[in-house]
Amino acid sequence: PRPFFVGSFPEVAEVEPNNNFKERQQLSGPAVITGKLQKQNDVDVFSISAQAGQTIVASVIAHELLGSPMDAVLQICTESGTVLVQNHDCHGLDPQATYTVPEAGNYLVRHFAFPSEPNSTIAFSGGDTYLYRLTITTGGFADHALPLAVQRGKPADLKLFGWNLPSPAAVIEVPATDVRENLFFQPQDAAGLVPLAIVNHP
């Protein structure tokens, strides 16, 4: 079986060449990029415009849910390529980075990876199986919720945590007949997958 993702933002295909700040792929707004680090030393760079005070959120789904054999790295950079913030392993081996911009302009999100199984190489890695989904947004993004679990067959009030959230609360009800032990909840007005455990007790 393979996961099937339905996002809340427009889906954008990664387009090569986009390997450095001069060849960046410009985004017209919040998007989910479906891409691939195609070969050794591949780097993918995307550009998004932001206003002063906005928070850019960049989050990768690759190793943990897609099974891609990558240990990815995310950087948010100035338009000329200076690194402002970097993240390596936020959710398992998948990175997530945020940055509140001090002034309006274009900012870059740079993505590359090492192999998830360490070896003797020190170069960036890539290949046909290095698939990823990269969310880049200045809008709402939910990262996690309290409580961390919901009771099967009972409505639950969630307090959402993340960035730029229009609605920091949500209600979810898992049917009593649902046999799953875990799920990923996605708010209607924000991106992000919120992991929740499903239990049979309060």
Side-chain angles (χ1 to χ4, degrees):
R2 293 288 184 267
F4 184 86
F5 288 92
V6 179
S8 58
F9 289 161
E11 301 272 337
V12 175
E14 179 230 346
V15 178
E16 294 283 354
N18 61 346
N19 297 324
N20 55 57
F21 71 95
K22 293 181 180 180
E23 298 177 328
R24 60 188 180 258
Q25 182 174 341
Q26 183 69 45
L27 303 175
S28 60
V32 177
I33 298 108
T34 55
K36 176 167 58 174
L37 296 172
Q38 299 178 355
K39 58 185 183 304
Q40 291 292 107
N41 297 313
D42 195 7
V43 178
D44 290 343
V45 182
F46 306 92
S47 177
I48 186 172
S49 60
Q51 301 300 314
Q54 285 187 317
T55 298
I56 299 172
V57 182
S59 185
V60 167
I61 294 174
H63 181 270
E64 299 305 310
L65 296 179
L66 291 177
S68 297
M70 69 168 75
D71 183 0
V73 179
L74 270 180
Q75 297 173 334
I76 298 177
C77 311
T78 65
E79 194 168 18
S80 61
T82 301
V83 177
L84 299 168
V85 65
Q86 174 175 305
N87 183 263
H88 195 177
D89 299 326
C90 181
H91 297 293
L93 294 184
D94 291 342
Q96 183 170 287
T98 64
Y99 182 73
T100 301
V101 306
E103 58 185 30
N106 284 325
Y107 291 82
L108 306 183
V109 175
R110 185 158 50 201
H111 176 226
F112 52 90
F114 301 100
S116 57
E117 292 292 332
N119 58 38
S120 60
T121 65
I122 58 173
F124 300 154
S125 190
D128 286 339
T129 57
Y130 277 60
L131 305 173
Y132 65 84
R133 288 173 62 81
L134 169 58
T135 299
I136 302 176
T137 181
T138 56
F141 189 94
D143 180 68
H144 61 281
L146 290 177
L148 301 175
V150 296
Q151 184 178 0
R152 206 181 312 270
K154 300 284 186 179
D157 294 320
L158 298 179
K159 183 178 181 181
L160 300 176
F161 296 86
W163 299 270
N164 316 314
L165 291 172
S167 304
V171 177
I172 184 174
E173 183 170 0
V174 178
T177 56
D178 195 320
V179 299
R180 290 176 295 174
E181 296 182 352
N182 298 281
L183 62 79
F184 286 94
F185 171 74
Q186 185 168 359
Q188 292 185 350
D189 56 2
L193 297 177
V194 176
L196 292 169
I198 305 173
V199 296
N200 294 320
H201 51 79

